[in-house]
Amino acid sequence: TRKESSAASDVYKRQPSYWAILLFETIIFGKNTALYYLARAIFLSIFSISLFKIFTLYFHRLTSFMLIVFYLKMPFLGGIFNRLGPGENYSTFGMSLIFLGVFKLLLLKKQDGDFEISDFNKGYQLLLLGSLINLGIKQNWIANSLGIIILLFIYKGKLNKASKIFSSIYLLYFVLIMTSTIIFLRSSNVDFYGTEINLLNRIIYSFEFLYKGNIEISLSIIVLFILTVLNSVKDYLQKKISARSIVYFYIFIRFSWEVFFYSGVLVTFFDYKFPWWSNYNFPIYLSLPVAGILSVSYTHLTLPTTPY
């Protein structure tokens, strides 16, 4: 039955990283509830600091601080940190490591819009650790593996011994997660929310979301798509592939996958709308500031500057 499938999938969708971190917390904190909430407050604080660092790559510190204040007012954060169970409690920590890794990688930038890599291995290892944690928390983080594979393909010559070992561990973990996920989907015929699997219907749901769902998220994904196309055309005319095009493509795929992944539960329970109070909004709501930052950055690099 649907109820039984949903219950089974609810147990299954909590992946190895989730259970490992939860077990570690249980051993350390025992029955002291206050310590669990303190840990989540620390996760949110680290996440805010890492997001602030990313913002400062593009904006003044005061502007970056105000953006963080605005983001912390989002209702869905209460849906994550007011409860102990959601995997997003741990995903915010993993995302923090990813942001800190990206900050290391993109600390220096060229004026032509491509990126100068700064301290590649440290940034790459932070990004890899954050992705490793999140890969084993919820299947919507599987899309992060695309970014890891792209980095491996382009910068494999820059990897030191530690990065190569860490990469092998990550890829092995990725294969295990994907294999177990495919086995589950084939045996149950429902997704992790008890919704019947039909690829064509899921694609249709995803496109319907663009005009039935939250307009802010829909517009941000459209903006990311336009930026990807514009920069790809620019690269084609200049006969090159820039790091900026790769970043645009990956981010567009990442957030599109988020809509595709959740489209079943959206149509079944929420009439295509991400509930503002829910943990489902993380990390999809990050598409808003990301699309805004990339738009400002692209415009700054494309439009001619006026001499003063």
Side-chain angles (χ1 to χ4, degrees):
T1 66
R2 178 184 174 83
K3 185 176 181 181
E4 290 169 341
S5 298
S6 181
S9 62
D10 189 57
V11 172
Y12 184 83
K13 68 187 178 184
R14 303 304 185 188
Q15 292 282 352
S17 298
Y18 176 88
W19 292 114
I21 298 174
L22 182 60
L23 177 61
F24 179 78
E25 281 191 319
T26 305
I27 293 172
I28 299 298
F29 301 152
K31 297 181 180 180
N32 191 332
T33 309
L35 292 178
Y36 290 91
Y37 281 109
L38 176 61
R40 278 136 188 79
I42 293 173
F43 289 157
L44 181 58
S45 299
I46 296 174
F47 176 74
S48 300
I49 292 170
S50 65
L51 193 58
F52 174 78
K53 283 183 171 291
I54 292 294
F55 284 154
T56 56
L57 289 173
Y58 299 90
F59 304 113
H60 187 273
R61 287 178 174 270
L62 181 58
T63 304
S64 300
F65 176 76
M66 294 306 297
L67 288 172
I68 294 296
V69 172
F70 174 76
Y71 189 76
L72 290 176
K73 289 175 66 65
M74 295 294 102
F76 69 88
L77 289 176
I80 297 174
F81 294 101
N82 287 345
R83 299 179 291 156
L84 298 180
E88 284 80 7
N89 282 316
Y90 307 134
S91 293
T92 52
F93 177 65
M95 196 70 172
S96 301
L97 297 178
I98 292 172
F99 281 155
L100 292 173
V102 169
F103 180 76
K104 282 280 188 182
L105 288 175
L106 306 185
L107 191 54
L108 300 176
K109 295 184 298 179
K110 295 180 180 178
Q111 290 301 313
D112 63 2
D114 214 347
F115 297 114
E116 180 72 33
I117 300 299
S118 173
D119 203 355
F120 177 83
N121 281 285
K122 285 186 179 180
Y124 174 75
Q125 289 166 17
L126 281 170
L127 194 153
L128 203 58
L129 179 58
S131 298
L132 183 70
I133 291 172
N134 286 357
L135 177 62
I137 287 177
K138 228 173 183 179
Q139 284 77 9
N140 61 319
W141 292 95
I142 287 175
N144 276 19
S145 301
L146 174 63
I148 299 297
I149 292 171
I150 290 174
L151 282 174
L152 271 173
F153 179 76
I154 297 177
Y155 298 109
K156 57 184 178 181
K158 291 181 175 287
L159 299 181
N160 59 23
K161 186 176 180 179
S163 294
K164 290 178 181 178
I165 294 174
F166 206 176
S167 297
S168 299
I169 294 173
Y170 178 86
L171 291 176
L172 176 61
Y173 195 44
F174 170 71
V175 170
L176 291 174
I177 294 292
M178 285 298 297
T179 301
S180 63
T181 299
I182 292 171
I183 291 173
F184 171 79
L185 295 176
R186 292 187 64 179
S187 62
S188 65
N189 294 319
V190 296
D191 65 12
F192 303 101
Y193 298 94
T195 306
E196 183 180 359
I197 297 173
N198 185 304
L199 182 60
L200 179 59
N201 285 346
R202 189 59 64 89
I203 293 173
I204 293 173
Y205 294 158
S206 299
F207 278 104
E208 284 186 305
F209 173 83
L210 293 177
Y211 64 90
K212 289 185 176 180
N214 295 325
I215 187 65
E216 303 97 329
I217 296 174
S218 302
L219 284 177
S220 66
I221 292 176
I222 292 172
V223 167
L224 291 170
F225 174 74
I226 293 173
L227 289 174
T228 302
V229 171
L230 288 177
N231 216 76
S232 297
V233 170
K234 180 180 177 182
D235 281 1
Y236 175 77
L237 294 176
Q238 296 179 353
K239 297 181 179 179
K240 68 171 186 176
I241 300 178
S242 65
R244 182 169 291 272
S245 289
I246 295 171
V247 170
Y248 286 158
F249 173 73
Y250 164 70
I251 292 177
F252 167 69
I253 293 296
R254 178 65 184 86
F255 290 120
S256 298
W257 165 255
E258 200 78 11
V259 172
F260 178 82
F261 180 83
Y262 282 121
S263 60
V265 71
L266 288 176
V267 67
T268 303
F269 299 106
F270 301 111
D271 190 28
Y272 293 96
K273 295 177 176 63
F274 276 102
W276 276 71
W277 46 265
S278 173
N279 53 299
Y280 294 126
N281 277 285
F282 184 83
I284 185 64
Y285 212 84
L286 282 175
S287 63
L288 292 173
V290 168
I293 286 174
L294 294 182
S295 298
V296 170
S297 176
Y298 184 84
T299 303
H300 173 73
L301 292 163
T302 305
L303 296 179
T305 57
T306 304
Y308 291 95

